[in-house]
């Protein structure tokens, strides 16, 4: 029976199992085969990394659109609405199109559920979303699609891509330990799984032990590797701006100074450099003529919700989905550098499987802050307050973020800032409050 409306289609997607016991791409490959392999005719850029994937995709999208291309993007999780995960030229997939595609794949999913019932059953939630994306981009004939990995790389459902124009690995840090392992080498092994035979690879600031894994995989796959501070370079420019970052860049035969982003944060300088390098790799393949003006416009246009995003000016309220230790480390660097003259009130909520104690300890090292731990209705267990405040007496607790916000506004001065951070799911909930 076909679904009549958007809510039914979304319920069908979210009602699927999220993980299987045994990681495999066999089920995803069969799924796409039954759908006519919609991914096979697409030109694709594949992006993985512990942090920075979303912003890198945003920079790449703008750079490609400035070439007059029809650009598909696939990202996760969503901040505002499910549809934002699948976009063409920054336009979310329409509700009616999503319903149409879900109805199209539903019989195939039912068939797989039946045929694979003795093993682990049919497609997972993420496999279904990935298939919907490939179908949509194929039907709409996008020129290039920029595909963000969900988790890891090797067994991620997006890793059915056979010959990407370029593979991108933004960062390697500790995250998703249950799925990816506890060591940087193990995590890098999963990320390096997106490296394909003869396809170029761009990597960001990768720790040496993780980089060795990536180098080994690249050599094995005859994949040309472009490494930060070896093949391309960036440095912070001296130009002062009120919001955002500025870099001087050189690499891959291209040089540009005073390149300005609208995205704030230490990590955004690196994300912009990684994205520009990946874009230049594609441009060289395609023999495009690249001008400074288009690059400046694209990098400045890029926006990404929930990443050091100012959602209120008076008082200044910033949202940042810093959902692991590496991201929290970048936040502390940004605050120490750009906001050390004012007091920063932090409201944070973290999922229990994300090393919450270490994350709060990191925030607590900042001198000019008052920190509130809180909770929210997360998709997985949220860190209990005793998990993060037992040995850190200076951290306050609020049963919900709204109460903390009221308390902070009553005591803050005009120069002070409120930073709301932690899980992207938490940031999404707060963002609705400020921008709906």
């Amino acid at each position: 029976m076909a679904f009549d409306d958007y809510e039914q289609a979304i319920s069908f997607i979210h009602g699927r199992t999220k993980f299987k016991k045994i990681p495999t791409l066999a089920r995803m490959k069969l799924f796409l085969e039954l759908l006519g392999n919609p991914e096979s005719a697409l030109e694709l850029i594949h992006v993985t990394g512990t942090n920075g994937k979303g912003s890198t995709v945003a920079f790449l999208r703008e750079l490609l659109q400035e070439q007059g291309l029809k650009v598909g993007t696939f990202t996760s999780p969503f901040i505002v609405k499910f549809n934002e995960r699948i976009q063409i030229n920054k336009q979310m997939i329409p509700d009616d199109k999503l319903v149409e595609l879900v109805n199209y794949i539903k019989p195939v999913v039912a068939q797989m559920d039946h045929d694979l019932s003795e093993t682990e059953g049919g497609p997972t939630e993420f496999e279904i979303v990935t298939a919907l994306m490939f179908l949509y981009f194929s039907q709409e004939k996008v020129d290039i699609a920029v595909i963000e990995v969900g988790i890891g790389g090797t067994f991620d459902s997006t890793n059915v891509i056979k010959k990407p124009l370029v593979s991108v690995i933004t960062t390697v840090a500790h995250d998703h330990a249950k799925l990816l392992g506890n060591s940087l080498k193990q995590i890098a092994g999963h990320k390096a799984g997106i490296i394909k035979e003869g396809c170029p690879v761009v990597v960001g600031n990768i720790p040496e032990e993780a980089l060795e894994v990536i180098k080994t995989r690249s050599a094995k796959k005859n994949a040309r590797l472009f490494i930060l501070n070896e093949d391309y370079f960036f440095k912070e420019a001296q130009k002062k701006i009120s919001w955002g970052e500025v870099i001087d860049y050189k690499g891959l035969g291209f040089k540009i100074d005073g390149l300005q982003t609208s995205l704030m944060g230490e990590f955004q300088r690196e994300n912009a450099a990684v994205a520009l390098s990946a874009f230049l790799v594609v441009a060289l393949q395609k023999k495009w003529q690249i001008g400074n003006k288009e690059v400046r416009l694209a990098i400045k246009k890029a926006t990404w919700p929930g990443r050091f995003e100012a959602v209120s000016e008076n008082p200044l309220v910033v949202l940042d989905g810093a959902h692991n230790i590496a991201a929290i480390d970048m936040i502390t660097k940004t605050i120490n550098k750009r906001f050390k003259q004012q007091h920063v009130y932090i409201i944070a909520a973290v999922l229990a499987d994300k090393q919450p104690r270490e994350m709060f300890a990191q925030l607590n090292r900042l001198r000019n802050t008052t920190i509130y731990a809180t909770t929210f209705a997360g998709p997985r267990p949220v860190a209990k307050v005793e998990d993060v405040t037992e040995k850190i007496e200076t951290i306050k607790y609020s049963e919900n973020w709204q109460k903390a916000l009221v308390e902070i506004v009553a005591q803050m001065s005009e120069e002070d800032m409120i930073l709301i951070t932690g899980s992207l799911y938490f940031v999404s909930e707060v963002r609705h409050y400020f921008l709906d």
Side-chain angles (χ1 to χ4, degrees), residues 73-351:
T73 50
F74 181 58
T75 56
S76 58
F78 63 92
I79 297 290
V80 181
K81 184 179 179 179
F82 174 87
N83 305 44
E84 77 190 53
R85 296 174 73 168
I86 303 171
Q87 298 188 31
I88 296 175
N89 285 5
K90 295 193 281 191
Q91 297 299 308
M92 293 187 279
I93 182 172
D95 291 357
D96 58 350
K97 186 65 182 177
L98 188 69
V99 174
E100 178 193 312
L101 289 173
V102 170
N103 281 325
Y104 180 77
I105 67 159
K106 192 172 170 240
V108 177
V109 173
Q111 180 189 330
M112 290 180 70
D113 282 344
H114 176 269
D115 294 348
L116 303 177
S117 59
E118 289 184 13
T119 53
E120 286 199 316
T124 64
E125 177 180 359
F126 193 70
E127 286 168 346
I128 284 172
V129 180
T130 304
L132 291 170
M133 172 270 296
F134 282 134
L135 277 169
Y136 182 53
F137 291 165
S138 172
Q139 288 179 9
E140 297 297 319
K141 294 182 170 55
V142 299
D143 295 312
I144 291 181
V146 187
I147 310 296
E148 181 190 317
V149 165
I151 293 175
T154 303
F155 294 111
D156 188 77
S157 63
T158 64
N159 204 30
V160 291
I161 295 169
K162 288 179 181 165
K163 283 196 77 66
L165 294 166
V166 60
S167 301
V168 182
I169 305 174
T170 57
T171 54
V172 175
H174 293 284
D175 201 5
H176 299 294
K178 285 183 183 175
L179 297 168
L180 305 181
N182 291 305
S183 77
L184 289 180
K185 280 189 173 182
Q186 286 175 305
I187 296 165
H190 283 279
K191 308 289 185 200
I194 73 165
I195 297 171
K196 302 300 193 306
E197 184 67 38
C199 299
V201 186
V202 171
V203 297
N205 188 10
I206 309 282
E208 195 54 45
E209 60 183 295
L211 187 57
E212 285 307 314
V213 175
I214 293 165
K215 283 179 176 176
T216 301
R217 169 82 178 185
S218 298
K220 188 179 173 185
K221 292 289 181 181
N222 301 303
R224 171 76 197 275
L225 190 58
F226 295 88
I227 300 170
L228 176 61
N229 295 327
E230 287 184 30
D231 301 287
Y232 69 97
F233 307 82
F234 78 92
K235 64 179 182 181
E236 185 181 4
Q238 294 310 303
K239 184 181 175 185
K240 291 279 183 278
I241 55 172
S242 59
W243 195 267
E245 303 294 335
V246 191
I247 64 169
D248 297 337
Y249 172 95
K250 66 175 180 180
L252 293 96
F254 189 80
K255 185 176 185 298
I256 188 166
D257 289 343
L259 190 59
Q260 187 175 328
T261 79
S262 297
L263 291 166
M264 170 80 90
E266 298 282 301
F267 45 90
Q268 298 301 357
R269 297 199 290 271
E270 186 184 311
N271 293 338
V274 168
L276 179 52
S277 301
F279 168 72
L280 291 170
V281 167
V282 176
L284 287 166
Q285 290 177 49
K286 301 285 187 184
K287 297 183 171 56
W288 294 334
Q289 293 297 313
I290 304 303
N292 282 15
K293 185 182 175 186
E294 293 97 312
V295 170
R296 286 189 194 283
L297 270 172
I299 294 297
K300 195 168 182 183
K301 266 189 204 172
T303 58
W304 198 240
R307 272 62 167 200
F308 223 87
E309 177 188 20
V311 290
S312 167
E313 284 186 17
N314 192 15
L316 177 59
V317 180
V318 172
L319 307 183
D320 192 283
H323 57 289
N324 53 39
I325 291 172
I328 290 288
D329 183 49
M330 284 298 188
I331 272 192
T332 59
K333 285 178 179 171
T334 301
I335 289 172
N336 276 328
K337 184 172 181 185
R338 300 290 288 267
F339 301 97
K340 61 184 176 189
Q341 302 304 324
Q342 58 242 80
H343 196 82
V344 181
Y345 292 88
I346 300 174
I347 305 172
V350 179
L351 293 174

Side-chain angles (χ1 to χ4, degrees), residues 353-379:
D353 59 3
K354 293 281 189 166
Q355 298 177 285
R357 190 177 294 260
E358 294 89 336
M359 290 170 74
F360 274 88
Q362 187 99 318
L363 287 172
N364 204 46
R365 290 190 192 106
L366 289 162
R367 292 180 181 175
N368 58 328
T369 58
T370 303
I371 302 168
Y372 287 77
T374 190
T375 58
F376 70 106

